[in-house]
């Protein structure tokens, strides 16, 4: 997903387009966007387009990397070798997603170190969903089914994003997210079909805890998402938050029936007229609290990231020293 927090402003100070040359470049850029062309990193782009993308892609990258933590916590406690192998592969995929995205963001002129620093100092956001705890094994299946499921809904339209490096990264990421969603659903189905009563109750409890935070992954309602219209105009965002959320709910209701779990929303009912499932109110105060840093695991997640960065300092130093030696040897040759 992980694009929900991307509407947060960081004091944009967009310069007015002044020179005739800039106006011409702007017109050419607008025409290319209107024609559905892709923009490459070396092409001219308005400063605010660059900033918006940089914020969105780097925050998406942070979400992938922080998203490894809640599941990484369960690798050593997976119930079978098969489940451990699958979970390990999934968590490694998320690391790869982070790397593709950091690389795409770097093409916009910000270094990896600057992005990591923004995350560690709390200036950059990541998806609110990763600030919730993973209490039981059923959380692993539920994250795959619902969190990766919501991520797919959010990310498939980004494969057509106007900024080509982001679109290319997303195509590969979406293929892997599809595996993530399926493995989660299959893990839950196994427990619901063959499990004990206690295991079935564990699945239901996990679904109860993750359902509402998953709906928040799509970001605030359209009428409270002020930057969405501009992102739509630029072809960065293709489908609105509310539309994506509805699509996710409609799909999840049917999947929940197959699993035999109940979604924790008494107001969930089919609306003949709209041909969609109506749902109850989402607690946007909780969303704001978690985004602002006061969710159940915000501090734990950030400190785990900072510790990993500090523990890895010797690797970066060794790599730099090696690269330096190689460069000197090349010069001498
Ligand atoms: Fe991912
Ligand atoms: Fe994933």
């Amino acid at each position: 997903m992980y694009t929900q927090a991307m509407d947060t402003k960081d004091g944009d100070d967009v310069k007015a387009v002044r020179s005739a040359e800039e106006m011409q470049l702007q017109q050419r850029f607008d025409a290319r966007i209107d024609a559905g062309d892709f923009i490459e990193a070396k092409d001219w782009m308005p400063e605010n387009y660059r900033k918006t993308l940089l914020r969105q892609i780097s925050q998406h990258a942070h979400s992938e990397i922080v998203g490894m933590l809640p599941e990484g916590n369960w690798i050593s406690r997976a119930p079978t070798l098969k489940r451990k192998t699958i979970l390990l592969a999934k968590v490694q995929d998320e690391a790869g997603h982070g790397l593709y995205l950091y690389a795409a963001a770097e093409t916009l002129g910000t270094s990896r170190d600057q992005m990591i620093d923004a995350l560690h100092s709390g200036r950059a956001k990541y998806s609110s969903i990763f600030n919730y705890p993973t209490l039981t094994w059923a959380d692993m299946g539920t994250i795959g089914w619902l969190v990766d499921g919501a991520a797919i809904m959010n990310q498939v339209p980004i494969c057509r994003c106007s900024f080509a490096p982001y679109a290319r990264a997303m195509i590969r990421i979406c293929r892997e997210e599809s595996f993530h969603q399926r493995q989660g659903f299959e893990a839950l189905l196994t427990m619901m079909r063959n499990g004990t009563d206690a295991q079935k109750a564990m699945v239901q409890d996990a679904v109860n805890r993750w359902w509402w935070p998953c709906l928040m992954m799509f970001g605030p309602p359209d009428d409270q998402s002020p930057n969405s219209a501009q992102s739509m105009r630029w072809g960065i965002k293709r489908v609105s938050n509310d539309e994506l959320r509805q699509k996710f709910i409609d799909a999840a209701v049917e999947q929940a029936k197959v699993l035999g779990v109940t979604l924790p929303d008494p107001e969930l009912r089919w609306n003949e007229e709209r041909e969609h499932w109506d749902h109850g109110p989402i607690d946007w105060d909780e969303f704001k609290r978690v985004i602002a840093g006061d969710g159940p695991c915000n501090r734990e997640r950030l400190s785990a990231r900072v510790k990993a960065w500090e523990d890895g300092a010797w690797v970066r130093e060794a790599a730099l020293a090696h690269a330096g030696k190689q460069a000197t040897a090349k010069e001498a040759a």
Side-chain angles (χ1 to χ4, degrees):
M1 126 84 253
Y2 312 136
T3 53
Q4 70 181 172
M6 315 316 174
D7 290 340
T8 50
K9 286 213 161 199
D10 62 357
D12 287 356
D13 55 335
V14 190
K15 281 181 231 137
V17 176
R18 287 188 191 97
S19 72
E21 192 196 359
E22 273 184 337
M23 273 172 79
Q24 226 174 32
L25 287 167
Q26 174 81 54
Q27 275 168 5
R28 210 174 304 152
F29 174 86
D30 289 343
R32 289 186 66 190
I33 293 284
D34 290 344
D37 277 2
F38 284 107
I39 307 296
E40 292 289 346
K42 286 198 171 120
D43 295 343
W44 184 90
M45 59 185 80
E47 201 42 37
N48 214 19
Y49 176 83
R50 180 189 299 276
K51 274 186 166 180
T52 301
L53 274 168
L54 188 57
R55 187 167 55 227
Q56 175 163 337
I57 303 172
S58 62
Q59 290 181 353
H60 189 163
H62 299 326
S63 300
E64 300 283 355
I65 299 295
V66 176
M68 296 166 73
L69 298 170
E71 288 174 293
N73 184 35
W74 277 90
I75 291 172
S76 60
R77 291 179 285 164
T80 65
L81 182 59
K82 176 184 151 189
R83 295 291 172 201
K84 189 197 270 272
T85 315
I86 293 172
L87 186 60
L88 198 56
K90 179 188 189 290
V91 174
Q92 283 177 336
D93 281 354
E94 306 300 6
H97 298 175
L99 295 183
Y100 308 152
L101 291 165
Y102 281 126
E106 278 180 311
T107 68
L108 291 162
T110 298
S111 72
R112 182 91 53 104
D113 280 353
Q114 285 172 308
M115 289 185 264
I116 298 282
D117 182 57
L119 173 68
H120 291 176
S121 63
R123 280 178 287 126
K125 305 281 183 202
Y126 56 87
S127 180
S128 63
I129 195 73
F130 302 118
N131 290 311
Y132 289 86
T134 44
L135 305 180
T136 68
W137 171 252
D139 287 37
M140 296 304 96
T142 309
I143 287 180
W145 173 40
L146 293 178
V147 175
D148 290 272
I152 294 169
M153 286 290 175
N154 259 317
Q155 291 174 356
V156 165
I158 309 176
C159 297
R160 292 182 290 118
C161 165
S162 61
F163 185 57
Y166 194 21
R168 282 192 289 266
M170 290 318 301
I171 291 169
R172 185 157 174 189
I173 289 174
C174 281
R175 286 196 190 119
E176 291 174 349
E177 293 301 353
S178 167
F179 150 64
H180 298 173
Q181 199 264 355
R182 280 155 187 249
Q183 65 81 34
F185 187 82
E186 196 265 340
L188 295 183
L189 196 62
T190 303
M191 283 190 273
M192 291 305 290
R193 292 218 168 135
N194 309 327
T196 61
D197 286 348
Q199 283 170 322
K200 289 176 192 169
M202 187 169 78
V203 172
Q204 183 62 59
D205 173 66
V207 171
N208 291 348
R209 284 182 288 109
W210 288 95
W211 175 248
W212 291 104
C214 277
L215 297 189
M216 296 174 197
M217 285 176 68
F218 297 91
D222 293 346
D223 56 5
Q224 291 162 40
S225 185
N227 295 341
S228 282
Q230 182 59 76
S231 283
M232 290 270 207
R233 167 74 188 83
W234 276 328
I236 295 173
K237 197 174 172 68
R238 299 284 188 189
V239 188
S240 83
N241 295 356
D242 286 335
E243 273 179 82
L244 287 169
R245 187 165 19 246
Q246 184 68 64
K247 229 175 144 190
F248 171 76
I249 293 170
D250 291 348
V253 168
E254 298 308 320
Q255 291 160 354
K257 284 184 201 163
V258 176
L259 280 178
V261 295
T262 309
L263 296 174
D265 179 358
E267 293 180 44
L268 210 50
R269 60 183 61 90
W270 179 250
N271 184 321
E272 272 308 335
E273 217 171 289
R274 293 198 310 123
E275 297 198 324
H276 287 296
W277 287 85
D278 287 339
H279 61 88
I282 296 169
D283 183 354
W284 291 112
D285 287 340
E286 175 181 325
F287 172 74
K288 283 177 203 151
R289 262 198 321 274
V290 177
I291 283 283
D294 204 17
C297 300
N298 294 58
R299 284 162 200 85
E300 187 184 329
R301 300 288 183 245
L302 213 52
S303 69
R305 282 307 318 155
V306 171
K307 185 177 182 303
W309 180 255
E310 286 168 356
D311 289 352
W314 69 272
V315 179
R316 293 189 297 279
E317 281 160 21
L320 278 173
H322 179 69
K325 272 187 195 167
Q326 298 278 89
T328 316
K330 221 177 194 177
E331 264 170 37

